[in-house]
Amino acid sequence: MKKRILALDYGDSRIGVAVSDALHITAQGICVIKRTKNIEEDIEKIKKYIKEYDTGLVILGHPLNLSGERGTRALVTEEFCDILKGKIDIPVELWDERLSTKEAERALEAGGVNWRKKREVIDMMAAQIILSSYLDYNNNLGGF
């Protein structure tokens, strides 16, 4: 059995979390971590999910601009990625997440989810979309 993959959608106030199945076929959203002012505390929460789901890789959504350029949000995410890499003992990879949040919003709206509930789950769903994209790409290339 393979170790699972954990995906994170790192935002200013929340971190969406999703996990793969052990065969690396599906992605399931598992929670939203409310960010604190203490990055160490946020990372401890992430470590809890890494352990709970027997994770061998973390995928971190990389919010590039539509042009593919790195904007402010991408730079903040890259900084978090470097910090996270220094705090855990498994690989962390950045993965292009352009439009994942918009895709999640459209899916929730199509499902009739009200705005209050949408705010609670949008980041988790974005993490699920990021992970699903990563899994599809690697499975199509014969990866894993």
Side-chain angles (χ1 to χ4, degrees), residues 3-114:
K3 289 195 175 270
R4 295 175 184 234
I5 300 170
L6 192 81
L8 303 173
D9 180 43
Y10 184 73
D12 288 330
S13 56
R14 293 176 299 278
I15 302 169
V17 184
V19 68
S20 74
D21 64 356
L23 298 174
H24 298 171
I25 296 170
T26 63
Q28 299 85 31
I30 54 174
C31 72
V32 173
I33 297 170
K34 298 223 189 261
R35 297 245 343 253
T36 66
K37 294 182 187 216
N38 181 343
I39 198 165
E40 299 291 331
E41 193 175 314
D42 297 340
I43 290 174
E44 285 305 313
K45 291 175 186 173
I46 293 167
K47 287 168 125 179
K48 180 183 97 169
Y49 292 110
I50 289 170
K51 183 177 180 182
E52 180 179 343
Y53 288 96
D54 193 28
T55 303
L57 172 65
V58 173
I59 298 300
L60 182 59
H62 195 206
L64 300 171
N65 293 332
L66 288 178
S67 66
E69 308 251 332
R70 295 164 47 226
T72 304
R73 191 73 225 144
L75 296 173
V76 168
T77 300
E78 291 168 12
E79 183 179 327
F80 176 72
C81 183
D82 290 340
I83 293 167
L84 185 60
K85 283 179 179 180
K87 301 289 182 183
I88 63 175
D89 59 356
I90 60 173
V92 180
E93 292 182 22
L94 291 169
W95 186 254
D96 185 354
E97 69 152 275
R98 281 179 274 186
L99 300 178
S100 63
T101 301
K102 289 292 180 198
E103 187 177 336
E105 284 177 3
R106 281 194 300 274
L108 291 168
E109 287 170 7
V113 176
N114 73 35

